[in-house]
Amino acid sequence: MIYRPAYIGKIMSYVDTPFVKILSGVRRCGKSTILKMVEEKLRERGISEKCILRYNLDSLQYEGMTAKMLYDEIKGKLPTEGKTYLFLDEIQEVKDWEKAVNSFMVEFDIDLYVTGSNSRLLSSEISTYLTGRYIQFRIFPLSFAEYLSFREKQVQNNPGILNDLSDGDGNGYGCGNIAFSEFIKYAKYSEFARYLRFGGFPAVHLQEYSIDDAYMIVKDIYSSTIFTDIVKRSQIRKIDQLERIIKFAFDNIGKTFSAASISKYLKSERRAIDNETVYSYLSKLESAFILHRCSRFDMKGKELLKTQEKFYVCDPAMKHSVLGYTPEGIAAMLENVVYLELLRRGYDVAVGQLVNGEIDFVATKQEKKLYIQIAQRIEREETKRREYDRLLGIADNYPKYVLRADEFADGNYLGIKTMHIADFLLMPE
């Protein structure tokens, strides 16, 4: 296992507190492995093996299990003395699981950790049974920094990889004998380009895969998520409608659109569908963490707008595995990875709506705020004015960034920081 300290540190700070620790996120993003890491940390603290119980509820062994069955199963396994550390993986597979979890917390001396791949983990049922007694940790596929950690492990296992890497123009580095940290100093931008193509699902980076094999892995994650968490759970019959909506959303990442625009598009293909059904499908895709909705924020009126949202995909490789990789889609994926990084860091993110245009992201977290514009390249004066003038028009002193994907992106323009997206992603929180 490759350590993911950004999550482990936060979760371990809640050990032995009276909260259910809920880890939620898209399937195969690493939730189960993070649970195992927490278990290892507990063992390092001297917790006895008999006090640690783990259940993978996604297993066929527990198919059809109810809350009462889960309660009886675990009650019979609890040690007679001391605190029990209970790990329940993919808890949403158990019907009415909230009732069992509530009973465990009320009746026994248990420190409880659960994972799930559906946002129903934060539904009204939890609010009813666990009010004030849970803490949520959103788990994402690998960040760029975490990707580099996985990449370093690949190199340690196969040092010859460095000889095969290139700078993106087909020029090999031929540096298999140097340390990975030294290699990254001058190759992080080409590694960022690779990250945009391969994405951040941990399974893709456990060893060296070809791009076709990587997309096959991600397509399997996509298919299993769509079938298990959406089609099967919601008993959807018109699967072709759902798939067309997914492809429309993936093809319009970073663009504002509405249910009405999707409905109109499908009608043009002689696939009639009403707006309410479109909204329902989009909501289900959000619940399965396939899509993330980004609302627009009226910078003048200081309020969230309820129409024409943007959507971002959970991982770049998921879009590529479904629609294929094209250079034309890179600009949208640059936005996508920055958006996901802001969510990882705990920011609330919106699109800033101005009278004469947009700010790509307005990110807020308690007293912090960031304004961010993203451009693949800035080669014309007209483009430079557009990106910078919108930020210069904001009359406050919060940090403002123009993030670019060319290697010469660096500097400061009237207080606005310009930097490469990779460098922004590697900045300490």
Side-chain angles (χ1 to χ4, degrees), residues 297 302 347 362-365 367-371 396 398-399:
F297 180 75
K302 304 299 181 184
Y347 284 94
V362 179
T364 56
K365 180 171 64 173
E367 75 282 358
K368 295 181 180 179
K369 182 180 289 188
L370 304 175
Y371 299 102
D396 65 35
Y398 290 110

Side-chain angles (χ1 to χ4, degrees), residues 395-420:
D396 65 35
N397 294 318
Y398 290 110
K400 302 173 179 67
Y401 295 90
V402 171
L403 305 181
R404 295 159 48 178
D406 55 280
E407 295 188 21
F408 302 102
D410 188 33
N412 190 299
Y413 177 74
L414 298 178
I416 298 172
K417 177 65 176 175
T418 302
M419 61 195 308
H420 194 285

Side-chain angles (χ1 to χ4, degrees), residues 64-68 91-98 120:
M65 178 169 274
T66 65
K68 182 62 165 62
I91 188 68
Q92 80 280 345
E93 298 300 329
V94 176
K95 180 177 173 58
D96 297 327
W97 62 269
E98 303 92 346
R120 184 176 172 274

Side-chain angles (χ1 to χ4, degrees), residues 239-282:
I239 300 175
D240 63 320
Q241 277 190 345
L242 174 63
E243 290 182 332
R244 286 176 180 273
I245 290 172
I246 293 170
K247 289 179 180 178
F248 181 95
F250 282 9
D251 202 34
N252 288 274
I253 292 296
K255 299 177 183 177
T256 55
F257 62 82
S258 63
S261 61
I262 296 179
S263 180
K264 183 178 179 181
Y265 164 75
L266 292 177
K267 285 178 182 177
S268 71
E269 293 195 337
R270 299 183 180 181
R271 302 263 181 180
I273 185 172
D274 59 86
N275 292 354
E276 186 176 343
T277 302
V278 173
Y279 273 122
S280 175
Y281 284 160
L282 289 173

Side-chain angles (χ1 to χ4, degrees), residues 77-275:
K77 299 284 181 65
L78 295 177
T80 55
E81 296 182 0
K83 183 185 289 290
T84 300
Y85 296 85
L86 179 59
F87 296 83
L88 302 176
D89 204 4
E90 299 295 355
I91 188 68
Q92 80 280 345
E93 298 300 329
V94 176
K95 180 177 173 58
D96 297 327
W97 62 269
E98 303 92 346
K99 298 177 182 179
V101 166
N102 180 64
S103 294
F104 293 142
M105 296 298 290
V106 171
E107 299 175 22
F108 306 106
D109 187 10
I110 286 179
D111 195 23
L112 184 54
Y113 303 79
V114 304
T115 76
S117 303
N118 193 292
S119 64
R120 184 176 172 274
L121 290 176
L122 293 180
S123 65
S124 58
E125 288 88 347
I126 298 183
S127 298
T128 299
Y129 290 103
L130 298 176
T131 301
R133 295 206 300 271
Y134 69 88
I135 183 79
Q136 184 205 22
F137 301 92
R138 285 286 303 277
I139 311 299
F140 295 87
L142 303 178
S143 67
F144 181 51
E146 289 177 317
Y147 156 83
L148 291 178
S149 296
F150 274 60
R151 191 71 164 139
E152 182 174 10
K153 190 70 173 180
Q154 287 181 11
V155 171
Q156 289 174 353
N157 293 334
N158 182 11
I161 288 175
L162 290 183
N163 282 323
D164 299 329
L165 297 178
S166 71
D167 60 5
D169 294 320
N171 301 312
Y173 288 113
C175 49
N177 294 323
I178 69 171
F180 185 81
S181 58
E182 289 298 313
F183 165 76
I184 284 300
K185 286 181 181 179
Y186 59 88
K188 63 182 172 183
Y189 299 146
S190 62
E191 283 298 300
F192 175 66
R194 186 180 186 275
Y195 174 68
L196 282 178
R197 295 198 67 173
F198 281 79
F201 281 107
V204 172
H205 303 291
L206 295 177
Q207 64 183 61
E208 183 78 0
Y209 287 108
S210 69
I211 195 68
D212 288 340
D213 289 340
Y215 289 167
M216 188 179 300
I217 293 170
V218 177
K219 186 65 180 291
D220 179 66
I221 297 171
Y222 164 84
S223 299
S224 62
T225 302
I226 296 301
F227 177 75
T228 303
D229 293 329
I230 300 180
V231 173
K232 183 179 177 182
R233 194 177 303 279
S234 301
Q235 297 182 330
I236 291 175
R237 296 180 179 178
K238 296 183 179 180
I239 300 175
D240 63 320
Q241 277 190 345
L242 174 63
E243 290 182 332
R244 286 176 180 273
I245 290 172
I246 293 170
K247 289 179 180 178
F248 181 95
F250 282 9
D251 202 34
N252 288 274
I253 292 296
K255 299 177 183 177
T256 55
F257 62 82
S258 63
S261 61
I262 296 179
S263 180
K264 183 178 179 181
Y265 164 75
L266 292 177
K267 285 178 182 177
S268 71
E269 293 195 337
R270 299 183 180 181
R271 302 263 181 180
I273 185 172
D274 59 86
N275 292 354

Side-chain angles (χ1 to χ4, degrees), residues 302-339:
K302 304 299 181 184
E303 63 179 355
L304 286 175
L305 302 174
K306 297 181 179 179
T307 60
Q308 295 291 317
E309 301 107 332
K310 292 186 178 184
F311 286 85
Y312 294 94
V313 66
C314 62
D315 186 77
M318 184 162 284
K319 176 189 174 182
H320 302 328
S321 71
V322 174
L323 298 184
Y325 173 85
T326 61
E328 293 77 19
I330 288 300
M333 285 300 99
L334 295 176
E335 277 190 36
N336 207 115
V337 297
V338 173
Y339 174 77

